[in-house]
Amino acid sequence: MSRARIRQLEAFHAVLKTGSATRAAELLRISQPSVSKLLRDLEVDIGVDLFARVRKRLLPTPEGRRLGQEAEDLFLKLSRIEHVGNEMRAKGIGELRIAALPALGIGLIPRVLATFRHDHPGIRSALSVAPSQRVVEMVAGGEADIGFAYPVPGTPSTLNRHSLASLPAIAVLPRGHALASRRMLRPEDFANQPFVSLGREDRSRDNMDVVFGKLPVGPATVVETQFAAVACELVVAGIGIALVDAITARFYRDRLLVRPVEPTFNFDFGALTPVGQPQSSIAQGFLHRVAAAVLTIASPASRARRSKGARS
Protein backbone atom coordinates (compact mmCIF):
# COMPACT_ATOMS: atom_id res chain seq x y z
CA MET A 1 0.00 0.00 0.00
CA SER A 2 1.38 3.37 -1.02
CA ARG A 3 1.99 6.21 1.40
CA ALA A 4 -0.53 8.31 -0.54
CA ARG A 5 -3.27 5.70 -0.06
CA ILE A 6 -2.52 5.52 3.67
CA ARG A 7 -2.91 9.32 3.91
CA GLN A 8 -6.25 9.08 2.09
CA LEU A 9 -7.45 6.39 4.49
CA GLU A 10 -6.26 8.43 7.47
CA ALA A 11 -8.40 11.34 6.32
CA PHE A 12 -11.36 9.00 5.63
CA HIS A 13 -10.99 7.39 9.08
CA ALA A 14 -10.79 10.77 10.79
CA VAL A 15 -13.95 12.03 9.06
CA LEU A 16 -15.80 8.87 10.12
CA LYS A 17 -14.79 9.47 13.75
CA THR A 18 -15.56 13.21 13.83
CA GLY A 19 -18.38 13.61 11.32
CA SER A 20 -16.89 16.62 9.53
CA ALA A 21 -13.87 17.55 7.43
CA THR A 22 -13.14 20.53 9.69
CA ARG A 23 -12.83 18.46 12.87
CA ALA A 24 -10.94 15.76 10.96
CA ALA A 25 -8.46 18.43 9.86
CA GLU A 26 -7.98 19.50 13.47
CA LEU A 27 -7.43 15.87 14.50
CA LEU A 28 -4.86 15.29 11.75
CA ARG A 29 -3.33 18.76 12.14
CA ILE A 30 -3.73 19.59 8.46
CA SER A 31 -5.98 22.05 6.61
CA GLN A 32 -9.68 21.39 5.90
CA PRO A 33 -9.14 21.69 2.10
CA SER A 34 -6.42 19.05 2.36
CA VAL A 35 -8.86 16.66 4.06
CA SER A 36 -11.50 17.31 1.40
CA LYS A 37 -9.00 16.68 -1.40
CA LEU A 38 -7.83 13.41 0.18
CA LEU A 39 -11.44 12.22 0.42
CA ARG A 40 -12.20 13.14 -3.21
CA ASP A 41 -9.05 11.41 -4.42
CA LEU A 42 -9.98 8.26 -2.46
CA GLU A 43 -13.50 8.22 -3.90
CA VAL A 44 -12.15 8.69 -7.43
CA ASP A 45 -9.55 5.96 -6.97
CA ILE A 46 -12.00 3.32 -5.74
CA GLY A 47 -14.93 4.50 -7.88
CA VAL A 48 -17.68 4.87 -5.25
CA ASP A 49 -19.14 7.65 -3.10
CA LEU A 50 -18.12 7.20 0.53
CA PHE A 51 -20.08 10.07 2.07
CA ALA A 52 -23.37 11.88 1.50
CA ARG A 53 -23.30 15.59 2.20
CA VAL A 54 -26.34 16.35 4.42
CA ARG A 55 -26.76 19.77 6.11
CA LYS A 56 -23.02 20.42 6.21
CA ARG A 57 -22.36 16.99 7.66
CA LEU A 58 -20.67 14.05 6.00
CA LEU A 59 -22.69 10.88 6.51
CA PRO A 60 -21.14 7.59 5.39
CA THR A 61 -22.84 5.69 2.62
CA PRO A 62 -23.23 1.90 2.94
CA GLU A 63 -20.03 1.60 0.95
CA GLY A 64 -18.39 4.09 3.28
CA ARG A 65 -19.48 2.13 6.35
CA ARG A 66 -18.12 -1.09 4.84
CA LEU A 67 -14.80 0.53 4.02
CA GLY A 68 -14.80 2.13 7.46
CA GLN A 69 -14.81 -1.29 9.13
CA GLU A 70 -11.77 -2.31 7.10
CA ALA A 71 -10.03 0.99 7.81
CA GLU A 72 -10.66 0.56 11.55
CA ASP A 73 -9.02 -2.88 11.44
CA LEU A 74 -6.11 -1.47 9.44
CA PHE A 75 -5.38 1.34 11.88
CA LEU A 76 -5.72 -0.98 14.86
CA LYS A 77 -3.06 -3.20 13.25
CA LEU A 78 -0.86 -0.22 12.45
CA SER A 79 -1.19 0.96 16.04
CA ARG A 80 -0.25 -2.51 17.25
CA ILE A 81 2.78 -2.59 14.96
CA GLU A 82 3.92 0.78 16.30
CA HIS A 83 3.42 -0.44 19.87
CA VAL A 84 5.42 -3.62 19.22
CA GLY A 85 8.20 -1.61 17.60
CA ASN A 86 8.39 0.75 20.57
CA GLU A 87 8.35 -2.19 22.96
CA MET A 88 11.13 -3.97 21.09
CA ARG A 89 13.21 -0.81 21.11
CA ALA A 90 12.60 -0.19 24.81
CA LYS A 91 12.79 -3.73 26.16
CA GLY A 92 14.65 -5.67 23.51
CA ILE A 93 11.94 -8.22 22.77
CA GLY A 94 13.07 -11.04 20.52
CA GLU A 95 14.64 -14.47 20.41
CA LEU A 96 18.33 -15.17 20.88
CA ARG A 97 19.80 -18.61 20.21
CA ILE A 98 23.36 -18.98 21.44
CA ALA A 99 25.84 -21.80 20.94
CA ALA A 100 29.09 -21.67 22.92
CA LEU A 101 32.11 -23.78 23.63
CA PRO A 102 32.34 -24.86 27.29
CA ALA A 103 35.14 -22.42 28.15
CA LEU A 104 32.65 -19.56 27.63
CA GLY A 105 29.31 -21.34 27.86
CA ILE A 106 29.66 -22.71 31.40
CA GLY A 107 30.88 -19.65 33.29
CA LEU A 108 31.11 -16.35 31.44
CA ILE A 109 28.16 -16.42 29.05
CA PRO A 110 25.53 -17.39 31.67
CA ARG A 111 26.61 -14.39 33.74
CA VAL A 112 26.54 -12.06 30.74
CA LEU A 113 23.13 -13.44 29.73
CA ALA A 114 21.74 -12.79 33.22
CA THR A 115 22.70 -9.11 33.13
CA PHE A 116 21.61 -8.81 29.49
CA ARG A 117 18.15 -10.18 30.31
CA HIS A 118 17.89 -7.74 33.20
CA ASP A 119 18.21 -4.92 30.67
CA HIS A 120 16.08 -6.71 28.04
CA PRO A 121 13.46 -8.65 30.04
CA GLY A 122 11.34 -9.44 26.99
CA ILE A 123 13.84 -11.63 25.16
CA ARG A 124 13.57 -15.39 24.90
CA SER A 125 16.93 -17.11 24.84
CA ALA A 126 18.38 -20.57 24.39
CA LEU A 127 21.97 -21.48 25.31
CA SER A 128 23.59 -24.63 23.94
CA VAL A 129 27.04 -25.64 25.24
CA ALA A 130 29.00 -27.81 22.83
CA PRO A 131 32.51 -28.38 21.44
CA SER A 132 33.71 -25.79 18.91
CA GLN A 133 33.10 -28.08 15.92
CA ARG A 134 29.47 -28.51 16.92
CA VAL A 135 29.10 -24.75 17.51
CA VAL A 136 30.25 -24.15 13.93
CA GLU A 137 27.72 -26.69 12.65
CA MET A 138 24.89 -25.11 14.64
CA VAL A 139 25.49 -21.58 13.36
CA ALA A 140 26.07 -22.77 9.79
CA GLY A 141 22.89 -24.86 9.94
CA GLY A 142 20.71 -22.06 11.29
CA GLU A 143 20.29 -23.71 14.71
CA ALA A 144 21.96 -20.76 16.47
CA ASP A 145 22.00 -17.02 15.78
CA ILE A 146 25.48 -16.54 17.20
CA GLY A 147 28.25 -18.92 18.21
CA PHE A 148 31.38 -18.72 20.34
CA ALA A 149 34.21 -21.12 19.50
CA TYR A 150 37.89 -21.77 19.06
CA PRO A 151 39.16 -21.75 15.44
CA VAL A 152 37.94 -24.85 13.62
CA PRO A 153 39.71 -26.03 10.44
CA GLY A 154 37.32 -26.15 7.52
CA THR A 155 34.89 -23.58 8.92
CA PRO A 156 32.52 -22.82 6.02
CA SER A 157 32.85 -19.55 4.16
CA THR A 158 29.20 -18.84 4.98
CA LEU A 159 30.28 -17.82 8.50
CA ASN A 160 31.99 -14.66 9.71
CA ARG A 161 34.49 -15.05 12.52
CA HIS A 162 34.91 -12.13 14.92
CA SER A 163 38.05 -12.37 17.02
CA LEU A 164 37.43 -11.80 20.73
CA ALA A 165 40.76 -12.51 22.44
CA SER A 166 43.86 -14.70 22.40
CA LEU A 167 44.59 -15.74 25.98
CA PRO A 168 47.53 -17.80 27.30
CA ALA A 169 47.09 -21.20 28.83
CA ILE A 170 47.69 -21.06 32.57
CA ALA A 171 48.27 -23.67 35.24
CA VAL A 172 45.72 -24.48 37.94
CA LEU A 173 46.84 -26.29 41.10
CA PRO A 174 45.14 -27.56 44.25
CA ARG A 175 45.71 -25.45 47.32
CA GLY A 176 48.74 -26.68 49.23
CA HIS A 177 50.35 -28.25 46.16
CA ALA A 178 54.13 -28.71 46.13
CA LEU A 179 54.45 -26.15 43.30
CA ALA A 180 52.31 -23.55 45.07
CA SER A 181 55.31 -21.51 46.23
CA ARG A 182 56.43 -20.79 42.66
CA ARG A 183 55.16 -17.59 41.08
CA MET A 184 55.60 -18.95 37.55
CA LEU A 185 55.89 -22.49 36.21
CA ARG A 186 57.91 -23.90 33.37
CA PRO A 187 57.03 -27.04 31.36
CA GLU A 188 59.71 -29.08 33.15
CA ASP A 189 57.94 -28.39 36.46
CA PHE A 190 55.14 -30.66 35.24
CA ALA A 191 57.44 -33.72 34.96
CA ASN A 192 55.83 -36.75 36.58
CA GLN A 193 53.11 -34.58 38.11
CA PRO A 194 49.59 -36.10 38.15
CA PHE A 195 47.98 -34.21 35.30
CA VAL A 196 44.41 -33.56 34.16
CA SER A 197 44.55 -33.23 30.37
CA LEU A 198 42.07 -31.64 27.99
CA GLY A 199 40.78 -33.88 25.21
CA ARG A 200 41.35 -33.54 21.48
CA GLU A 201 38.08 -31.85 20.59
CA ASP A 202 40.00 -28.69 19.75
CA ARG A 203 43.59 -27.73 18.94
CA SER A 204 44.51 -26.81 22.52
CA ARG A 205 45.43 -30.44 23.22
CA ASP A 206 47.77 -30.45 20.20
CA ASN A 207 49.39 -27.24 21.45
CA MET A 208 49.76 -28.79 24.88
CA ASP A 209 51.51 -31.80 23.38
CA VAL A 210 53.94 -29.45 21.62
CA VAL A 211 54.81 -27.74 24.91
CA PHE A 212 55.43 -31.00 26.76
CA GLY A 213 56.73 -32.96 23.77
CA LYS A 214 60.15 -31.31 24.02
CA LEU A 215 60.72 -32.64 27.55
CA PRO A 216 62.50 -35.89 28.37
CA VAL A 217 59.83 -36.54 31.00
CA GLY A 218 56.34 -35.08 30.72
CA PRO A 219 53.40 -34.93 33.11
CA ALA A 220 51.66 -38.15 34.18
CA THR A 221 48.15 -37.89 32.75
CA VAL A 222 45.65 -39.44 35.17
CA VAL A 223 42.37 -38.07 33.76
CA GLU A 224 41.33 -36.70 30.38
CA THR A 225 38.27 -34.47 29.93
CA GLN A 226 36.85 -32.33 27.15
CA PHE A 227 35.78 -29.46 29.40
CA ALA A 228 38.17 -27.05 31.13
CA ALA A 229 35.56 -26.51 33.86
CA VAL A 230 35.59 -30.24 34.61
CA ALA A 231 39.39 -30.16 34.66
CA CYS A 232 39.23 -27.39 37.26
CA GLU A 233 36.79 -29.39 39.38
CA LEU A 234 39.16 -32.34 39.26
CA VAL A 235 42.02 -30.07 40.32
CA VAL A 236 39.96 -28.73 43.21
CA ALA A 237 39.36 -32.35 44.23
CA GLY A 238 43.13 -32.85 44.40
CA ILE A 239 43.43 -35.30 41.51
CA GLY A 240 46.20 -33.36 39.77
CA ILE A 241 47.18 -30.12 38.06
CA ALA A 242 46.05 -28.84 34.67
CA LEU A 243 46.54 -26.28 31.91
CA VAL A 244 43.35 -24.38 31.08
CA ASP A 245 42.24 -21.11 29.55
CA ALA A 246 42.30 -17.94 31.64
CA ILE A 247 38.54 -17.40 31.38
CA THR A 248 37.62 -20.74 32.93
CA ALA A 249 40.33 -20.37 35.58
CA ARG A 250 38.92 -16.97 36.56
CA PHE A 251 35.73 -18.58 37.85
CA TYR A 252 37.72 -21.00 40.04
CA ARG A 253 40.30 -18.62 41.48
CA ASP A 254 38.68 -18.78 44.94
CA ARG A 255 38.93 -22.56 45.01
CA LEU A 256 42.34 -23.30 43.50
CA LEU A 257 45.71 -21.69 42.69
CA VAL A 258 46.47 -20.07 39.36
CA ARG A 259 50.01 -19.72 37.98
CA PRO A 260 51.34 -18.42 34.65
CA VAL A 261 53.38 -20.80 32.51
CA GLU A 262 56.34 -19.90 30.28
CA PRO A 263 56.56 -20.87 27.47
CA THR A 264 52.88 -21.47 26.87
CA PHE A 265 50.29 -21.46 24.09
CA ASN A 266 47.15 -19.43 23.44
CA PHE A 267 43.45 -20.13 23.42
CA ASP A 268 41.90 -18.11 20.57
CA PHE A 269 38.31 -17.12 21.31
CA GLY A 270 36.01 -15.93 18.54
CA ALA A 271 32.36 -15.34 17.68
CA LEU A 272 30.59 -16.75 14.63
CA THR A 273 27.72 -15.18 12.71
CA PRO A 274 26.17 -16.04 9.32
CA VAL A 275 27.49 -14.18 6.28
CA GLY A 276 24.94 -12.03 4.48
CA GLN A 277 22.30 -12.23 7.20
CA PRO A 278 21.83 -8.99 9.15
CA GLN A 279 21.98 -9.63 12.87
CA SER A 280 19.14 -8.48 15.08
CA SER A 281 19.83 -5.64 17.49
CA ILE A 282 19.50 -8.22 20.27
CA ALA A 283 22.24 -10.45 18.81
CA GLN A 284 24.50 -7.45 18.16
CA GLY A 285 24.01 -6.16 21.69
CA PHE A 286 24.72 -9.55 23.22
CA LEU A 287 27.88 -10.00 21.14
CA HIS A 288 29.14 -6.62 22.34
CA ARG A 289 28.43 -7.60 25.96
CA VAL A 290 30.34 -10.88 25.63
CA ALA A 291 33.25 -9.13 23.87
CA ALA A 292 33.44 -6.58 26.70
CA ALA A 293 33.37 -9.34 29.34
CA VAL A 294 36.16 -11.23 27.57
CA LEU A 295 38.14 -8.00 27.30
CA THR A 296 38.05 -7.49 31.07
CA ILE A 297 39.85 -10.82 31.41
CA ALA A 298 42.12 -10.38 28.39
CA SER A 299 43.46 -6.98 29.44
CA PRO A 300 45.10 -8.10 32.71
CA ALA A 301 46.52 -11.14 30.92
CA SER A 302 48.02 -8.91 28.22
CA ARG A 303 49.55 -6.59 30.80
CA ALA A 304 51.05 -9.55 32.63
CA ARG A 305 52.62 -10.86 29.43
CA ARG A 306 54.04 -7.42 28.57
CA SER A 307 55.44 -7.06 32.07
CA LYS A 308 56.98 -10.54 31.92
CA GLY A 309 58.52 -9.75 28.52
CA ALA A 310 60.00 -6.51 29.84
CA ARG A 311 61.63 -8.32 32.77
CA SER A 312 63.11 -10.95 30.51
Side-chain angles (χ1 to χ4, degrees), residues 192-251:
N192 290 320
Q193 290 287 341
F195 188 71
V196 178
S197 176
L198 297 180
R200 297 191 181 278
E201 287 292 331
D202 56 67
R203 298 177 64 184
S204 60
R205 172 63 180 273
D206 296 332
N207 293 330
M208 195 177 301
D209 289 346
V210 170
V211 170
F212 293 131
K214 301 175 183 178
L215 302 176
V217 179
T221 299
V222 292
V223 180
E224 181 176 303
T225 178
Q226 303 298 339
F227 295 169
V230 175
C232 288
E233 289 289 351
L234 293 168
V235 171
V236 170
I239 289 179
I241 63 178
L243 284 179
V244 299
D245 63 276
I247 292 177
T248 300
R250 182 182 180 90
F251 293 102

Side-chain angles (χ1 to χ4, degrees), residues 80-266:
R80 176 60 182 164
I81 289 171
E82 184 176 8
H83 172 74
V84 169
N86 292 336
E87 196 173 46
M88 290 174 66
R89 182 168 57 252
K91 297 183 178 180
I93 291 178
E95 184 178 19
L96 180 62
R97 300 171 301 165
I98 310 156
L101 77 163
L104 296 180
I106 292 177
L108 184 139
I109 285 181
R111 289 164 172 79
V112 174
L113 185 58
T115 59
F116 191 73
R117 278 187 50 78
H118 182 269
D119 296 335
H120 305 276
I123 67 168
R124 298 182 303 275
S125 53
L127 171 60
S128 299
V129 179
S132 293
Q133 178 66 54
R134 177 59 183 147
V135 170
V136 170
E137 294 170 357
M138 291 182 71
V139 180
E143 299 175 59
D145 303 308
I146 187 169
F148 299 92
Y150 295 137
V152 174
T155 296
S157 59
T158 55
L159 297 183
N160 283 320
R161 178 175 172 83
H162 314 267
S163 180
L164 297 177
S166 183
L167 299 178
I170 58 178
V172 288
L173 301 79
R175 294 189 180 278
H177 192 274
L179 297 175
S181 61
R182 303 195 182 187
R183 298 182 61 184
M184 183 181 72
L185 301 182
R186 300 192 63 82
E188 53 265 29
D189 296 326
F190 291 76
N192 290 320
Q193 290 287 341
F195 188 71
V196 178
S197 176
L198 297 180
R200 297 191 181 278
E201 287 292 331
D202 56 67
R203 298 177 64 184
S204 60
R205 172 63 180 273
D206 296 332
N207 293 330
M208 195 177 301
D209 289 346
V210 170
V211 170
F212 293 131
K214 301 175 183 178
L215 302 176
V217 179
T221 299
V222 292
V223 180
E224 181 176 303
T225 178
Q226 303 298 339
F227 295 169
V230 175
C232 288
E233 289 289 351
L234 293 168
V235 171
V236 170
I239 289 179
I241 63 178
L243 284 179
V244 299
D245 63 276
I247 292 177
T248 300
R250 182 182 180 90
F251 293 102
Y252 284 87
R253 58 188 175 183
D254 294 333
R255 301 172 59 196
L256 45 68
L257 302 176
V258 176
R259 295 291 184 269
V261 179
E262 182 64 33
T264 189
F265 60 92
N266 289 334

Side-chain angles (χ1 to χ4, degrees), residues 12 16 43 46 48-54 58-68:
F12 169 70
L16 277 179
E43 289 177 324
I46 64 177
V48 297
D49 291 331
L50 299 174
F51 291 95
R53 282 70 177 173
V54 179
L58 295 175
L59 300 179
T61 64
E63 293 84 1
R65 288 194 296 271
R66 177 72 180 89
L67 185 62

